Amino acid sequence: MAIEETCPAGVLPSEEAVLLLYGPEPVHEGEALAKAIIETVERLTR
C-alpha cells in the first residue's frame, strides 16, 4: 500500500493490468511492484 501511495500516477499498473501483463501469482504482483519502485527512483533521480 505504501508503494501505491508514494509512486507517481501511472507507474504502478492496475490490478487488472498486473493480471494480464504478469499473471495471477503473488510473485507477479511483486514483479509489478519492483518495476514501479525502479521507475519511481529513476524519475526522482533525473
Side-chain angles (χ1 to χ4, degrees):
M1 184 174 7
I3 294 168
E4 293 172 355
E5 294 173 358
T6 306
C7 289
V11 172
L12 186 62
S14 68
E15 184 176 347
E16 294 82 18
V18 170
L19 292 173
L20 291 172
L21 294 170
Y22 300 98
E25 301 293 324
V27 69
H28 299 128
E29 182 179 354
E31 287 180 56
L33 291 171
K35 287 186 178 188
I37 292 168
I38 292 167
E39 178 66 26
T40 299
V41 170
E42 288 176 350
R43 288 185 184 194
L44 293 172
T45 57
R46 289 185 195 151

